[in-house]
Amino acid sequence: MRSYATRTARPVDLPSREERAAALEAAGYNLFGVDADRVFVDLLTDSGTGTMSDAQWAALLRGDESYAGSTSFRRLREAVDEVMGFDRVVPAHQGRGAENVLYGAIVDEGDHVLNNTHFDTTRAHVAANGGEAVDCPVPAAGDPDAEAPFKGNFDVDAGRAYVDDVGAENVPVVVLTVTNNSAAGQPVSVANTREVAAFAEEIDATFVIDACRFAENARFVTERETEFDDATAAEVASEQLGYADAVVMSAKKDGLANTGGFVAIGEGHDDLFERAKQRAILYEGFPTYGGLAGRDMEAMAVGLREAVDDDYLAHRVGQVAELGAELAAAGLPVYEPVGGHAVYVDAGALLDHIPPSEFPGQALACELYLEGGVRTVELGSFAFPETDRPEYVRFAVPRRTYHREHFEHVGETAAAVADRTDDLTGFEVVDEPPMAELRHFSADLRPLDA
Ligand code: F0G
């Protein structure tokens, strides 16, 4: 059994109820606007918010800050090769930087890109290059109660039907996002990965894996896919990623780092590798540092190896499951099974007296903050206007950062809110930025009873 001993302590105090109410009002009822020192348990995201290991901190001191050809880059490349099986690596400052490098090199005006489910930044990069982002999740992904081991899978039949419609020549890229963040962090099986790879080959498309949470995905495969009963997560990860032509990565997730990302490119794609390096020079930095300090690449190299350690993963996925159990016991409708990095709660089912136009997810997220200083994120009608997504609130767990007492506090907070759902009211947007798709980061809201 694995646990982690904390060697750097940061005091975190629960602000008083009055302070929380004032912070929420000052933030325009938008939790992105609340200062972190006003938050008691911060479950806004698992991205870059985790705790580095002592080995990672030690590695920082080896950072080689040479502009070209640094040894830190070489160590990163060796780690990517060892863990993922790709030795052609273009670093970037974070995942979306890597997306800009990759999708700018392979998506053109009028193209269609298929994905199990596009994450927001992926969708935006496809659109920014004139492409159309098309989601092909399996039907069970949209059912929070369906019992299935791999609800993150890609619906290859749906993909094929789409390609029949638009023509294979207009679909240059097929992406598989593991785990599927926008489908409640659900895993993707290796069997499905093989099918998607074969489908991409059939239509002559580049097969990309968005590997942000590849290690958590591998853990679920070892637990749920019979063929891999005796495999280690490291074995599953290299097999699963090995089917891809290219990998796009945010090291802020399963790189266990606070920043960083990269594109990794497989054999036989020399031209793509060259184009990616040229774009990296334009947008990120010379292709042996990609907008990162040498020390960041050192932390990534160590983190990638730690991320596929089975004991680490048992602890990691176990913590998320533990939070899921706390929230279910508190009476919240939890998406089942619980995913790899976060617990998703169906606020639409909990607050069925608040219509989607009045943002039930935002009402729940604000109330959780007010009640216990717990910060979550709404991923429903407020974050995604003009779509008919479920009204999810995501409780994302930073890696190696919180302990049982934090999850108990979140459970108690949730139970107190669940006891008085009838008192909760909806919200309206009073001020929003010009790009509606980005409004959840900065829009101001107002409670409808105020
Ligand atoms: N792809 C996926 C599947 C992601 O979840 C994210 C980020 C990115 C790409 C972009 O990476 O943040 O390093 O630029 N997800 C974070 C989240 C922000 O909270 O889910 P990035």
Short mmCIF file of all heavy atoms in Angstrom, two decimals, residues 182-227:
data_model
loop_
_atom_site.label_atom_id
_atom_site.label_comp_id
_atom_site.label_asym_id
_atom_site.label_seq_id
_atom_site.Cartn_x
_atom_site.Cartn_y
_atom_site.Cartn_z
N SER A 182 -14.03 15.15 -20.87
CA SER A 182 -15.36 15.76 -21.06
C SER A 182 -16.48 14.72 -20.90
O SER A 182 -17.65 15.08 -20.91
CB SER A 182 -15.45 16.41 -22.43
OG SER A 182 -14.38 17.33 -22.56
N ALA A 183 -16.12 13.44 -20.77
CA ALA A 183 -17.11 12.41 -20.43
C ALA A 183 -16.77 11.89 -19.04
O ALA A 183 -16.49 10.70 -18.84
CB ALA A 183 -17.12 11.30 -21.47
N ALA A 184 -16.75 12.79 -18.08
CA ALA A 184 -16.60 12.45 -16.66
C ALA A 184 -15.33 11.66 -16.34
O ALA A 184 -15.30 10.87 -15.41
CB ALA A 184 -17.84 11.70 -16.16
N GLY A 185 -14.27 11.89 -17.13
CA GLY A 185 -12.99 11.24 -16.83
C GLY A 185 -13.03 9.73 -16.98
O GLY A 185 -12.28 9.01 -16.33
N GLN A 186 -13.90 9.24 -17.89
CA GLN A 186 -14.05 7.79 -18.06
C GLN A 186 -12.92 7.23 -18.93
O GLN A 186 -12.46 7.88 -19.88
CB GLN A 186 -15.40 7.49 -18.72
CG GLN A 186 -16.59 7.89 -17.86
CD GLN A 186 -16.64 7.12 -16.55
OE1 GLN A 186 -16.72 5.90 -16.55
NE2 GLN A 186 -16.57 7.83 -15.43
N PRO A 187 -12.51 5.99 -18.64
CA PRO A 187 -11.40 5.41 -19.38
C PRO A 187 -11.77 4.86 -20.76
O PRO A 187 -12.95 4.64 -21.06
CB PRO A 187 -10.93 4.27 -18.47
CG PRO A 187 -12.12 3.90 -17.66
CD PRO A 187 -12.95 5.15 -17.50
N VAL A 188 -10.73 4.61 -21.54
CA VAL A 188 -10.84 4.05 -22.88
C VAL A 188 -10.09 2.71 -22.87
O VAL A 188 -8.95 2.65 -22.40
CB VAL A 188 -10.18 5.00 -23.90
CG1 VAL A 188 -10.16 4.39 -25.29
CG2 VAL A 188 -10.89 6.36 -23.92
N SER A 189 -10.69 1.65 -23.39
CA SER A 189 -10.05 0.34 -23.37
C SER A 189 -8.97 0.26 -24.45
O SER A 189 -8.99 1.02 -25.43
CB SER A 189 -11.08 -0.77 -23.58
OG SER A 189 -11.59 -0.69 -24.89
N VAL A 190 -8.07 -0.70 -24.28
CA VAL A 190 -7.05 -0.93 -25.32
C VAL A 190 -7.73 -1.51 -26.56
O VAL A 190 -7.38 -1.17 -27.70
CB VAL A 190 -5.93 -1.86 -24.80
CG1 VAL A 190 -4.97 -2.24 -25.92
CG2 VAL A 190 -5.18 -1.17 -23.67
N ALA A 191 -8.76 -2.36 -26.34
CA ALA A 191 -9.48 -2.93 -27.49
C ALA A 191 -10.06 -1.79 -28.35
O ALA A 191 -9.97 -1.82 -29.59
CB ALA A 191 -10.59 -3.86 -27.01
N ASN A 192 -10.65 -0.80 -27.71
CA ASN A 192 -11.22 0.33 -28.45
C ASN A 192 -10.11 1.12 -29.15
O ASN A 192 -10.28 1.57 -30.29
CB ASN A 192 -12.02 1.22 -27.48
CG ASN A 192 -12.77 2.35 -28.19
OD1 ASN A 192 -12.45 3.52 -28.03
ND2 ASN A 192 -13.76 2.00 -29.00
N THR A 193 -8.97 1.26 -28.48
CA THR A 193 -7.84 1.98 -29.08
C THR A 193 -7.41 1.30 -30.37
O THR A 193 -7.13 1.96 -31.38
CB THR A 193 -6.66 2.04 -28.08
OG1 THR A 193 -7.16 2.53 -26.84
CG2 THR A 193 -5.55 2.93 -28.58
N ARG A 194 -7.38 -0.03 -30.34
CA ARG A 194 -7.00 -0.78 -31.55
C ARG A 194 -8.01 -0.52 -32.67
O ARG A 194 -7.63 -0.33 -33.83
CB ARG A 194 -6.95 -2.28 -31.27
CG ARG A 194 -5.79 -2.68 -30.37
CD ARG A 194 -5.77 -4.21 -30.21
NE ARG A 194 -4.80 -4.60 -29.20
CZ ARG A 194 -5.07 -5.37 -28.14
NH1 ARG A 194 -6.28 -5.87 -27.97
NH2 ARG A 194 -4.13 -5.67 -27.28
N GLU A 195 -9.29 -0.53 -32.31
CA GLU A 195 -10.33 -0.30 -33.33
C GLU A 195 -10.21 1.10 -33.94
O GLU A 195 -10.38 1.28 -35.15
CB GLU A 195 -11.72 -0.39 -32.71
CG GLU A 195 -12.27 -1.76 -32.49
CD GLU A 195 -13.62 -1.67 -31.79
OE1 GLU A 195 -14.51 -0.96 -32.29
OE2 GLU A 195 -13.76 -2.27 -30.72
N VAL A 196 -9.94 2.08 -33.08
CA VAL A 196 -9.83 3.46 -33.58
C VAL A 196 -8.60 3.59 -34.48
O VAL A 196 -8.65 4.25 -35.52
CB VAL A 196 -9.80 4.48 -32.41
CG1 VAL A 196 -9.64 5.90 -32.94
CG2 VAL A 196 -11.07 4.38 -31.57
N ALA A 197 -7.52 2.93 -34.08
CA ALA A 197 -6.29 2.97 -34.89
C ALA A 197 -6.57 2.36 -36.27
O ALA A 197 -6.14 2.92 -37.30
CB ALA A 197 -5.17 2.22 -34.19
N ALA A 198 -7.30 1.25 -36.29
CA ALA A 198 -7.60 0.59 -37.56
C ALA A 198 -8.51 1.48 -38.42
O ALA A 198 -8.32 1.60 -39.64
CB ALA A 198 -8.27 -0.76 -37.30
N PHE A 199 -9.48 2.12 -37.76
CA PHE A 199 -10.39 3.03 -38.46
C PHE A 199 -9.62 4.20 -39.07
O PHE A 199 -9.80 4.56 -40.25
CB PHE A 199 -11.45 3.51 -37.45
CG PHE A 199 -12.25 4.70 -37.87
CD1 PHE A 199 -12.97 4.71 -39.06
CD2 PHE A 199 -12.33 5.83 -37.04
CE1 PHE A 199 -13.73 5.81 -39.43
CE2 PHE A 199 -13.08 6.93 -37.40
CZ PHE A 199 -13.78 6.93 -38.60
N ALA A 200 -8.69 4.77 -38.30
CA ALA A 200 -7.90 5.91 -38.80
C ALA A 200 -7.07 5.47 -40.00
O ALA A 200 -6.96 6.19 -41.01
CB ALA A 200 -7.01 6.46 -37.68
N GLU A 201 -6.51 4.26 -39.90
CA GLU A 201 -5.68 3.76 -41.00
C GLU A 201 -6.52 3.57 -42.27
O GLU A 201 -6.13 3.93 -43.37
CB GLU A 201 -5.02 2.45 -40.60
CG GLU A 201 -3.91 2.10 -41.56
CD GLU A 201 -3.08 0.91 -41.11
OE1 GLU A 201 -3.14 0.53 -39.92
OE2 GLU A 201 -2.39 0.35 -41.96
N GLU A 202 -7.72 3.01 -42.04
CA GLU A 202 -8.67 2.76 -43.14
C GLU A 202 -8.98 4.04 -43.93
O GLU A 202 -9.10 4.02 -45.14
CB GLU A 202 -9.93 2.27 -42.43
CG GLU A 202 -10.99 1.53 -43.13
CD GLU A 202 -12.05 1.20 -42.04
OE1 GLU A 202 -11.76 0.38 -41.14
OE2 GLU A 202 -13.15 1.78 -42.09
N ILE A 203 -9.11 5.16 -43.20
CA ILE A 203 -9.46 6.42 -43.90
C ILE A 203 -8.22 7.28 -44.14
O ILE A 203 -8.32 8.45 -44.48
CB ILE A 203 -10.54 7.21 -43.12
CG1 ILE A 203 -10.05 7.63 -41.74
CG2 ILE A 203 -11.83 6.41 -43.03
CD1 ILE A 203 -10.96 8.65 -41.05
N ASP A 204 -7.04 6.71 -43.86
CA ASP A 204 -5.78 7.39 -44.11
C ASP A 204 -5.65 8.69 -43.30
O ASP A 204 -5.16 9.71 -43.80
CB ASP A 204 -5.66 7.68 -45.62
CG ASP A 204 -4.21 7.85 -46.02
OD1 ASP A 204 -3.34 7.39 -45.26
OD2 ASP A 204 -3.96 8.48 -47.07
N ALA A 205 -6.10 8.63 -42.05
CA ALA A 205 -6.01 9.80 -41.17
C ALA A 205 -4.88 9.60 -40.16
O ALA A 205 -4.52 8.47 -39.85
CB ALA A 205 -7.34 9.98 -40.42
N THR A 206 -4.34 10.70 -39.67
CA THR A 206 -3.33 10.64 -38.60
C THR A 206 -4.06 10.32 -37.30
O THR A 206 -5.06 10.96 -36.96
CB THR A 206 -2.62 12.00 -38.46
OG1 THR A 206 -2.07 12.34 -39.74
CG2 THR A 206 -1.51 11.95 -37.43
N PHE A 207 -3.57 9.32 -36.57
CA PHE A 207 -4.21 8.92 -35.31
C PHE A 207 -3.45 9.54 -34.14
O PHE A 207 -2.30 9.20 -33.88
CB PHE A 207 -4.26 7.39 -35.21
CG PHE A 207 -4.83 6.89 -33.92
CD1 PHE A 207 -5.85 7.57 -33.26
CD2 PHE A 207 -4.37 5.70 -33.34
CE1 PHE A 207 -6.38 7.12 -32.06
CE2 PHE A 207 -4.89 5.23 -32.15
CZ PHE A 207 -5.89 5.94 -31.51
N VAL A 208 -4.13 10.47 -33.45
CA VAL A 208 -3.52 11.20 -32.33
C VAL A 208 -4.14 10.72 -31.02
O VAL A 208 -5.36 10.56 -30.94
CB VAL A 208 -3.80 12.71 -32.49
CG1 VAL A 208 -3.32 13.48 -31.26
CG2 VAL A 208 -3.14 13.27 -33.75
N ILE A 209 -3.32 10.50 -30.02
CA ILE A 209 -3.87 10.28 -28.67
C ILE A 209 -3.56 11.50 -27.81
O ILE A 209 -2.41 11.93 -27.72
CB ILE A 209 -3.31 8.99 -28.01
CG1 ILE A 209 -3.81 7.76 -28.78
CG2 ILE A 209 -3.73 8.90 -26.55
CD1 ILE A 209 -3.44 6.41 -28.15
N ASP A 210 -4.63 12.09 -27.23
CA ASP A 210 -4.47 13.11 -26.20
C ASP A 210 -4.24 12.34 -24.91
O ASP A 210 -5.16 11.74 -24.35
CB ASP A 210 -5.72 13.99 -26.13
CG ASP A 210 -5.64 15.03 -25.01
OD1 ASP A 210 -4.94 14.77 -24.01
OD2 ASP A 210 -6.28 16.09 -25.13
N ALA A 211 -2.97 12.35 -24.46
CA ALA A 211 -2.54 11.45 -23.40
C ALA A 211 -2.49 12.10 -22.02
O ALA A 211 -1.89 11.54 -21.10
CB ALA A 211 -1.16 10.89 -23.76
N CYS A 212 -3.15 13.25 -21.85
CA CYS A 212 -3.07 13.98 -20.57
C CYS A 212 -3.16 13.05 -19.36
O CYS A 212 -2.42 13.18 -18.42
CB CYS A 212 -4.22 14.98 -20.45
SG CYS A 212 -4.05 16.38 -21.51
N ARG A 213 -4.10 12.10 -19.41
CA ARG A 213 -4.34 11.24 -18.24
C ARG A 213 -4.14 9.77 -18.61
O ARG A 213 -4.91 8.90 -18.24
CB ARG A 213 -5.72 11.54 -17.66
CG ARG A 213 -5.86 13.01 -17.21
CD ARG A 213 -7.21 13.36 -16.64
NE ARG A 213 -7.28 14.77 -16.22
CZ ARG A 213 -7.59 15.78 -17.02
NH1 ARG A 213 -7.88 15.59 -18.29
NH2 ARG A 213 -7.61 17.03 -16.55
N PHE A 214 -3.06 9.54 -19.39
CA PHE A 214 -2.81 8.18 -19.91
C PHE A 214 -2.52 7.16 -18.81
O PHE A 214 -2.84 5.98 -18.95
CB PHE A 214 -1.62 8.22 -20.89
CG PHE A 214 -0.27 8.32 -20.22
CD1 PHE A 214 0.54 7.21 -20.07
CD2 PHE A 214 0.17 9.52 -19.69
CE1 PHE A 214 1.77 7.28 -19.42
CE2 PHE A 214 1.39 9.62 -19.04
CZ PHE A 214 2.20 8.50 -18.91
N ALA A 215 -1.90 7.60 -17.72
CA ALA A 215 -1.52 6.66 -16.66
C ALA A 215 -2.75 6.24 -15.85
O ALA A 215 -2.93 5.05 -15.53
CB ALA A 215 -0.47 7.29 -15.75
N GLU A 216 -3.63 7.21 -15.54
CA GLU A 216 -4.88 6.86 -14.86
C GLU A 216 -5.69 5.91 -15.75
O GLU A 216 -6.30 4.94 -15.27
CB GLU A 216 -5.68 8.13 -14.53
CG GLU A 216 -5.01 8.94 -13.43
CD GLU A 216 -5.43 10.41 -13.38
OE1 GLU A 216 -6.36 10.80 -14.12
OE2 GLU A 216 -4.82 11.16 -12.61
N ASN A 217 -5.68 6.18 -17.05
CA ASN A 217 -6.39 5.31 -17.98
C ASN A 217 -5.82 3.88 -17.92
O ASN A 217 -6.55 2.90 -17.85
CB ASN A 217 -6.29 5.86 -19.40
CG ASN A 217 -7.33 5.24 -20.31
OD1 ASN A 217 -8.45 5.74 -20.42
ND2 ASN A 217 -6.99 4.14 -20.95
N ALA A 218 -4.49 3.80 -17.91
CA ALA A 218 -3.83 2.48 -17.87
C ALA A 218 -4.21 1.74 -16.59
O ALA A 218 -4.39 0.51 -16.60
CB ALA A 218 -2.32 2.65 -17.97
N ARG A 219 -4.34 2.46 -15.49
CA ARG A 219 -4.73 1.81 -14.23
C ARG A 219 -6.10 1.13 -14.39
O ARG A 219 -6.30 -0.01 -13.99
CB ARG A 219 -4.79 2.86 -13.11
CG ARG A 219 -5.37 2.35 -11.81
CD ARG A 219 -4.39 1.43 -11.10
NE ARG A 219 -5.03 0.70 -10.01
CZ ARG A 219 -4.39 -0.19 -9.26
NH1 ARG A 219 -3.12 -0.46 -9.47
NH2 ARG A 219 -5.01 -0.82 -8.30
N PHE A 220 -7.06 1.84 -14.99
CA PHE A 220 -8.39 1.25 -15.19
C PHE A 220 -8.32 0.03 -16.11
O PHE A 220 -9.05 -0.93 -15.91
CB PHE A 220 -9.37 2.28 -15.77
CG PHE A 220 -9.81 3.32 -14.77
CD1 PHE A 220 -9.58 4.67 -14.98
CD2 PHE A 220 -10.49 2.95 -13.61
CE1 PHE A 220 -10.00 5.63 -14.08
CE2 PHE A 220 -10.92 3.90 -12.69
CZ PHE A 220 -10.67 5.25 -12.92
N VAL A 221 -7.46 0.10 -17.11
CA VAL A 221 -7.32 -1.05 -18.01
C VAL A 221 -6.83 -2.27 -17.23
O VAL A 221 -7.36 -3.38 -17.38
CB VAL A 221 -6.38 -0.72 -19.19
CG1 VAL A 221 -6.01 -1.99 -19.97
CG2 VAL A 221 -7.03 0.30 -20.12
N THR A 222 -5.84 -2.09 -16.35
CA THR A 222 -5.35 -3.25 -15.57
C THR A 222 -6.45 -3.80 -14.66
O THR A 222 -6.49 -4.99 -14.38
CB THR A 222 -4.10 -2.91 -14.70
OG1 THR A 222 -4.47 -1.92 -13.73
CG2 THR A 222 -2.94 -2.42 -15.52
N GLU A 223 -7.37 -2.91 -14.23
CA GLU A 223 -8.44 -3.36 -13.33
C GLU A 223 -9.62 -3.98 -14.07
O GLU A 223 -10.34 -4.80 -13.53
CB GLU A 223 -8.97 -2.17 -12.50
CG GLU A 223 -7.99 -1.69 -11.45
CD GLU A 223 -8.49 -0.43 -10.73
OE1 GLU A 223 -9.48 0.19 -11.19
OE2 GLU A 223 -7.87 -0.08 -9.71
N ARG A 224 -9.87 -3.52 -15.33
CA ARG A 224 -11.15 -3.85 -15.96
C ARG A 224 -11.08 -4.61 -17.28
O ARG A 224 -12.10 -5.11 -17.74
CB ARG A 224 -11.94 -2.55 -16.23
CG ARG A 224 -12.24 -1.79 -14.97
CD ARG A 224 -13.00 -0.50 -15.27
NE ARG A 224 -13.14 0.31 -14.07
CZ ARG A 224 -13.66 1.51 -14.01
NH1 ARG A 224 -14.11 2.07 -15.13
NH2 ARG A 224 -13.74 2.17 -12.87
N GLU A 225 -9.91 -4.66 -17.93
CA GLU A 225 -9.85 -5.32 -19.23
C GLU A 225 -9.12 -6.65 -19.07
O GLU A 225 -7.90 -6.66 -18.83
CB GLU A 225 -9.14 -4.39 -20.25
CG GLU A 225 -9.43 -4.76 -21.69
CD GLU A 225 -9.00 -3.66 -22.68
OE1 GLU A 225 -8.54 -2.57 -22.25
OE2 GLU A 225 -9.13 -3.90 -23.89
N THR A 226 -9.88 -7.73 -19.22
CA THR A 226 -9.38 -9.07 -18.89
C THR A 226 -8.00 -9.36 -19.48
O THR A 226 -7.14 -9.92 -18.80
CB THR A 226 -10.37 -10.13 -19.43
OG1 THR A 226 -11.68 -9.56 -19.35
CG2 THR A 226 -10.32 -11.39 -18.62
N GLU A 227 -7.80 -8.97 -20.74
CA GLU A 227 -6.53 -9.25 -21.39
C GLU A 227 -5.33 -8.71 -20.59
O GLU A 227 -4.22 -9.20 -20.71
CB GLU A 227 -6.56 -8.58 -22.79
CG GLU A 227 -5.34 -8.85 -23.62
CD GLU A 227 -5.36 -8.05 -24.93
OE1 GLU A 227 -6.45 -7.62 -25.39
OE2 GLU A 227 -4.27 -7.85 -25.49
#
